Amino acid sequence: MAVVLFRNTQAAIRAEQVLQSVGVQGKLIPTPRQLSAECGMALRFPRSDSERVRTLLAQAGLTFQAIHEL
Amino acid sequence: MIYLDNAASGWPKPPAVGQAMAHFMEQVGANPGRSGHRLAVEAARTVYGAREDLATLFGANDPLRIVFGLNATEALNLALLGLLRPGDHAITSSMEHNSVMRPLRALQRQGVELSIVHCSPQGVLDPLAVEAEIRPNTRLIALIHASNVVGTLLPVSAVGRIARRYDLLFLVDAAQTAGAYPIDVEAQDIDLLAFTGHKALLGPQGTGGLYIGPRVALDELRPLVRGGTGSRSEAEEQPDFLPDRYESGTLSGVGLAGLAAGVRYLLDEGVARVREYEVELTRRLLAGLQRIPRAILYGSGDAERQIATVSFNVAGLQPSDVGLRLDEEFDIMCRVGLHCSPGAHRTIGTFPGGTVRWSLGYLNTVDEVDAALDALDKIARG
């Protein structure tokens, strides 16, 4: 699994939509405590989709804080 | 009962609005933007949905540019107090509501220069008259989209083009038009759009906000309120990104659930269809008012040049007496007086006595218009 960290929850919600629209399995979860994050919601997705997620978020103009592999 | 006060607050709402609010209260409830649990995610989705639908309605390409607040007045205060500094010059019209005039007058006392462009007695604004006021230190043009007194539409697209040409910011008060008249922030060169949830957007009171366009530098727009945003939580400085910079404290999740339902209803109906229907109703109303001998009509008299808001008086009667008789004898609800727009009444020549205002909404019917005209006819005949 991997997670994308965002700077606010609204960006996380939008990212979930973006992923869902192309069939990538994204789930909003509480930000794992060991990861330093600016907001309480993170988007978890299959690690194998990491590159695809990066591209999708860039195309949607969504800034994210980081992508971490769990 | 016939409700003709939609300019004050839209009523009734479509059933989906109350249902969405009840659903939020009973099934969701959580703080929309803080915690990461399932209910908080649901609440955050609700709020995000409202942002998205409003962005669609206004032709904005980024939902995160929709900042939520209490109402249009707060949004206008954010824009005006946030942007204007002593030494800046602002231009506005003589038809504005106090939600624009009172902040501007306060800023004027602090050293902001203000030009008020006169409109005709029908409430019509000449864009060239706005252009003539532009100076080297002009920062902002602020206009009401349509008068809440006589309904006259102001030439927002033309003024937007002028503002763009001179590299000024353009603020539009869409309290009366959002949901009832097409708005496209990109095509109309609108940099800041203030809207309220509880009028033609058919949502509940306590919701509203400001669209902040890309030409507004966020470090030049001071937040009105600072506080917790559920982001950058390790910092004691206000975030510098949208919408968080201007959304401190808990939003009204229940309110925005209702607003989202209202906006969705409008998107389904189509604003063009809403507009067409309201033009027809207004046309019928104007024609009927013109037939009542002692009725004095204000505004352009042309349903296409205004929104569904009409002001009139009955010769020889005080507006307050007309309003009271409409309410007590005929069960018709409307607003009399100065409508928080002393400038507009000065412009149309009804200061300080004011007018009787009938403001129709999408849920009013032809029968209601006919019944109201009938009632006024009886009152006018004494």
Side-chain angles (χ1 to χ4, degrees):
Chain A
M1 278 295 167
V3 284
V4 194
L5 305 178
F6 297 94
R7 59 187 189 181
N8 59 9
T9 53
Q10 297 290 276
I13 300 280
R14 188 158 163 205
E16 179 197 43
Q17 272 188 349
V18 167
L19 264 58
Q20 266 168 13
S21 71
V22 294
V24 174
Q25 299 291 335
K27 181 178 159 65
L28 288 167
I29 60 163
T31 303
R33 194 142 41 89
Q34 70 273 24
L35 298 175
S36 156
E38 297 180 346
C39 99
M41 219 178 271
L43 186 62
R44 188 183 68 191
F45 61 92
R47 195 192 292 196
S48 51
D49 283 318
S50 284
E51 273 319 299
R52 199 160 165 219
V53 167
R54 262 181 217 282
T55 310
L56 285 167
L57 294 182
Q59 279 169 355
L62 266 174
T63 0
F64 57 90
Q65 224 191 301
I67 296 185
H68 288 282
E69 315 223 309
L70 295 175
Chain B
M1 193 229 294
I2 297 176
Y3 184 85
L4 301 182
D5 200 20
N6 290 280
S9 215
W11 192 81
K13 317 286 186 192
V17 172
Q19 285 159 12
M21 295 176 74
H23 172 81
F24 188 94
M25 290 302 286
E26 287 158 22
Q27 308 291 335
V28 185
N31 193 315
R34 303 294 184 267
S35 326
H37 59 77
R38 200 172 64 237
L39 281 185
V41 170
E42 185 62 35
R45 274 203 198 99
T46 302
V47 169
Y48 186 77
R51 272 186 232 280
E52 246 191 340
D53 291 336
L54 284 161
T56 301
L57 193 68
F58 298 148
N61 68 358
D62 183 356
L64 299 184
R65 292 194 167 281
I66 305 283
V67 165
F68 286 128
L70 191 56
N71 48 33
T73 297
E74 188 186 62
L76 290 163
N77 272 263
L78 167 60
L80 294 167
L81 299 174
L83 277 174
L84 293 169
R85 310 274 181 276
D88 284 342
H89 173 240
I91 304 171
T92 193
S93 84
S94 68
M95 293 296 289
E96 302 298 315
H97 184 275
N98 267 342
S99 52
V100 164
M101 286 316 297
R102 284 181 176 180
L104 282 175
R105 289 297 188 196
L107 286 164
Q108 196 179 22
R109 287 191 290 275
Q110 290 166 17
V112 170
E113 296 165 22
L114 182 62
S115 292
I116 300 175
V117 179
H118 274 287
C119 299
S120 76
Q122 290 71 43
V124 178
L125 176 73
D126 178 1
L128 296 178
V130 173
E131 187 173 12
E133 296 295 329
I134 295 173
R135 305 172 189 169
N137 61 332
T138 305
R139 181 91 173 90
L140 176 78
I141 304 173
L143 284 190
I144 195 167
H145 194 175
S147 170
N148 69 309
V149 174
V150 288
T152 312
L153 287 155
L154 271 66
V156 156
S157 300
V159 174
R161 262 195 305 276
I162 291 169
R164 196 56 62 99
R165 199 174 340 127
Y166 288 85
D167 196 28
L168 309 172
L169 290 177
F170 185 35
L171 164 66
V172 174
D173 170 11
Q176 297 293 322
T177 49
Y181 191 84
I183 293 171
D184 186 330
V185 292
E186 309 234 343
Q188 296 182 288
D189 293 322
I190 296 170
D191 298 304
L192 296 144
L193 186 84
F195 62 90
T196 190
H198 70 99
K199 296 186 204 270
L201 288 178
L202 301 176
Q205 293 158 354
T207 62
L210 185 69
Y211 158 79
I212 301 175
R215 292 177 71 239
V216 180
L218 298 191
D219 58 358
E220 290 175 9
L221 178 64
R222 265 185 311 231
L224 271 182
V225 178
R226 290 179 182 75
T229 57
S231 54
R232 290 263 165 86
S233 295
E234 77 284 356
E236 287 180 340
E237 293 300 312
Q238 195 75 3
D240 58 2
F241 48 83
L242 290 170
D244 302 47
R245 183 168 168 79
Y246 308 102
E247 283 183 4
S248 305
T250 302
L251 291 174
S252 174
V254 58
L256 293 171
L259 178 57
V263 176
R264 233 159 258 148
Y265 170 87
L266 291 167
L267 289 172
D268 285 343
E269 296 291 301
V271 174
R273 180 158 149 202
V274 170
R275 172 64 184 157
E276 198 185 305
Y277 179 72
E278 289 191 10
V279 166
E280 279 314 303
L281 273 191
T282 306
R283 197 169 278 141
R284 191 181 185 91
L285 180 58
L286 290 172
L289 285 168
Q290 274 149 11
R291 282 195 294 270
I292 297 173
R294 287 165 64 203
I296 305 162
L297 210 48
Y298 305 98
S300 69
D302 180 352
E304 303 269 8
R305 297 189 75 179
Q306 61 173 95
I307 53 171
T309 291
V310 161
S311 261
F312 61 87
N313 272 310
V314 178
L317 294 179
Q318 292 295 321
S320 48
D321 292 332
V322 175
L324 189 60
R325 288 193 63 188
L326 283 167
D327 182 344
E328 290 189 334
E329 290 171 45
F330 299 97
D331 217 14
I332 293 172
M333 312 289 120
C334 68
R335 183 171 173 192
V336 306
L338 294 174
H339 311 101
C340 294
S341 299
H345 283 278
R346 282 200 170 91
T347 301
I348 70 174
T350 52
F351 191 88
T355 61
V356 181
R357 181 187 71 183
W358 283 355
S359 44
L360 309 172
Y362 190 51
L363 278 77
N364 283 119
T365 65
V366 164
D367 287 348
E368 288 177 329
V369 168
D370 289 348
L373 288 167
D374 212 60
L376 186 67
D377 189 70
K378 292 191 168 73
I379 293 172
R381 287 176 196 281

